[in-house]
Amino acid sequence: MSTGLRRFREREPAPVEGAERAEQCEMCAEPLDGEHGHVVDLETRALMCACRGCRLLFVRPGQGRYHAVPDRFLYAPSFHISPADWDELGIPVRTAFFFRNSSLGRTVAFYPSPAGATESLLPLATWERVLAANPALADAEPDVEALLVDRAPDGSFSCHLVPIDACYRLVGLVRLHWKGFDGGREAWEAIDGFFTALRRRARVPKEV
């Protein structure tokens, strides 16, 4: 597993007294600060921590094996999807993220679980119908951006277009805090805080 992905999915070990633990760019070994970018390795599907210089080398898609994760956040408070479409997508939980995997040539769906990111088989015809109903969110970049869909307890839907690393950050929160069958208060506080932070950061796209 990439150390970049591991950072989102596992609890950080306690620091050793007297020792400094610094993250490094996984491409050039440059020391990294707390806020840094990521690059997707399209061959291994690994999410790699990257310094600013290395990340900028792969901002434009179609440049080979690596693709920089962008920094775009959109929020659609009224995501157009019917309960029947959601049921057809076969997502067993309230939250899932969808992105186009260029290696497979199709969209894939995952949902956060205590075991990590769990893939769900995706009926493509249903997903294409959902995208057609939400054209303002249909231009997510393959491999590096995802549509993160959340179904509220009242049955309403919202959607964020986010960098793929944000999805794995949510996966890490679920894996770290989930307890028992229903997750527990600590897990849901972490999940609610995650979505609150996303909404503050995102802009609402214009309807197409």
Side-chain angles (χ1 to χ4, degrees):
M1 180 190 300
S2 158
T3 56
L5 182 54
R6 185 182 299 115
R7 191 170 62 87
F8 297 127
R9 296 179 59 178
E10 298 179 0
R11 186 187 299 271
E12 290 288 339
V16 177
E17 185 177 355
E20 294 186 2
R21 183 176 181 272
E23 282 191 289
Q24 294 181 323
C25 172
E26 293 182 71
M27 308 191 82
C28 73
E30 179 80 13
L32 298 173
D33 56 24
E35 293 294 329
H36 57 263
H38 296 91
V39 170
V40 171
D41 183 331
L42 301 181
E43 292 186 6
T44 65
R45 313 306 304 177
L47 186 65
M48 304 171 64
C49 296
C51 66
R52 184 175 183 274
C54 287
R55 181 185 172 278
L56 289 176
L57 292 174
F58 305 105
V59 168
R60 297 178 64 182
Q63 292 183 310
R65 175 173 175 171
Y66 302 103
H67 191 171
V69 177
D71 190 31
R72 181 169 62 151
F73 292 83
L74 302 179
Y75 173 48
S78 298
F79 187 64
H80 303 296
I81 180 173
S82 69
D85 283 339
W86 185 255
D87 291 341
E88 284 184 28
L89 291 174
I91 306 298
V93 295
R94 58 174 281 182
T95 302
F97 58 96
F98 306 80
F99 68 94
R100 185 165 181 81
N101 182 315
S102 61
S103 298
L104 298 177
R106 61 179 175 85
T107 298
V108 294
F110 289 84
Y111 57 88
S113 79
T118 301
E119 184 169 6
S120 178
L121 295 178
L122 183 63
L124 294 180
T126 304
W127 182 244
E128 291 299 327
R129 186 165 65 243
V130 171
L131 283 184
N134 297 276
L137 298 173
D139 67 338
E141 288 191 49
D143 305 302
V144 293
E145 288 186 324
L147 297 186
L148 178 60
V149 181
D150 184 51
R151 185 179 190 178
D154 65 3
S156 63
F157 291 90
S158 62
C159 179
H160 290 81
L161 188 156
V162 296
I164 192 67
D165 54 8
C167 298
Y168 284 109
R169 190 171 290 112
L170 175 60
V171 170
L173 287 175
V174 171
R175 188 171 185 181
L176 181 62
H177 296 290
W178 197 272
K179 292 180 176 63
F181 180 76
D182 64 354
R185 187 178 68 178
E186 182 181 354
W188 286 109
E189 287 178 350
I191 293 168
D192 290 342
F194 171 86
F195 278 106
T196 297
L198 278 190
R199 287 193 290 273
R200 289 174 178 168
R201 187 170 186 175
R203 62 179 179 86
V204 176
K206 294 180 180 180
E207 294 291 335
V208 176

